[in-house]
Amino acid sequence: MKLVLDEDKKKVYVEEGEIDRYYSMIDMGEYIGHSQRDWYETAPSNWFLMFYDEKDKNSQTLFHAEALVDQYGEYQRLILEEKGYKRVMQLQGDYIMSDIVYDNRNESFDGAWVGKSYIGYEHDDNTKPLPRLSTYLLGDKEFKSEDGIVLSEKPNDYRVTEFLLNNDNLSLEFKDVK
């Protein structure tokens, strides 16, 4: 893996191969914990994998993932795009709030941000506890539209796990970066 962009708050690594893998690390330290710090305190570095892309030799994107981090340093949203599908997962710490797949392959949604939605999970009952993300990813799930149609191509849970593991592994390299 080689460093291809080295800025103060952003670093991009590429792992070249038959499919090139791009890892964009961003220092979220100024955002994370800002409400718990005094204004004059310097924010510590806190690096996160925020974007991940897989591209073929023609620079065509085959897979794209991006994340949003909350002020406590936890992933709040993951978006994974592949083969015309966009999977949006809302998280609260290590818990899943919702998991929805949007089918953007249909031409009638041309120009729209999202196509037909299929819900795998949506927390709508505050009397039930939220499932842990790790448990949720291991379980069998079904994505259904409002009209009861089941999504035939299930999203790959491995992609979510892979993104989170890549964050853990790459973040270790930044622990002592000032």
Side-chain angles (χ1 to χ4, degrees):
M1 192 167 355
K2 70 179 179 179
L3 184 64
V4 293
L5 177 68
D6 188 1
E7 295 177 353
D8 186 35
K9 302 285 182 187
K10 181 178 182 180
K11 309 221 183 282
V12 178
Y13 293 89
V14 66
E15 188 175 16
E16 293 177 330
E18 194 144 325
I19 295 174
D20 294 336
R21 291 169 171 77
Y22 293 84
Y23 305 87
S24 297
M25 300 293 292
I26 298 179
D27 183 0
M28 299 298 292
E30 289 180 16
Y31 174 69
I32 295 169
H34 65 86
S35 61
Q36 288 84 31
R37 272 193 308 275
D38 285 323
W39 63 270
Y40 55 83
E41 291 181 318
T42 304
S45 291
N46 206 327
W47 291 86
F48 278 87
L49 177 62
M50 298 298 285
F51 301 96
Y52 170 75
D53 289 288
E54 291 180 359
K55 297 183 180 187
D56 64 16
K57 290 301 173 190
N58 298 322
S59 294
Q60 182 82 13
T61 301
L62 304 172
F63 177 77
H64 172 75
E66 60 187 74
L68 180 65
V69 176
D70 66 18
Q71 68 174 344
Y72 304 107
E74 301 284 344
Y75 281 124
Q76 179 176 338
R77 181 174 63 216
L78 297 175
I79 300 174
L80 303 104
E81 297 178 72
E82 186 173 29
K83 299 178 185 172
Y85 293 102
K86 180 181 286 197
R87 183 178 189 179
V88 179
M89 300 179 79
Q90 295 287 344
L91 307 171
Q92 184 177 359
D94 188 35
Y95 297 93
I96 183 90
M97 295 289 291
S98 68
D99 186 9
I100 301 173
V101 172
Y102 298 94
D103 184 353
N104 292 327
R105 300 171 304 152
N106 188 330
E107 291 177 13
S108 67
F109 293 110
D110 189 34
W113 186 78
V114 293
K116 184 171 185 162
S117 63
Y118 297 85
I119 298 173
Y121 177 77
E122 193 164 42
H123 186 71
D124 55 3
D125 183 354
N126 290 331
T127 64
K128 292 183 181 177
L130 293 170
R132 285 198 171 278
L133 179 61
S134 55
T135 306
Y136 175 77
L137 291 174
L138 292 175
D140 192 28
K141 60 195 81 44
E142 183 174 76
F143 291 83
K144 277 188 180 178
S145 66
E146 285 183 0
D147 52 3
I149 297 172
V150 176
L151 185 64
S152 58
E153 270 187 63
K154 286 187 184 179
N156 192 340
D157 288 339
Y158 174 73
R159 290 294 203 171
V160 176
T161 305
E162 179 183 50
F163 184 88
L164 297 172
L165 287 173
N166 283 332
N167 176 65
D168 290 346
N169 292 334
L170 289 168
S171 294
L172 288 175
E173 295 188 25
F174 292 98
K175 288 296 182 198
D176 295 326
V177 174
K178 303 284 184 236

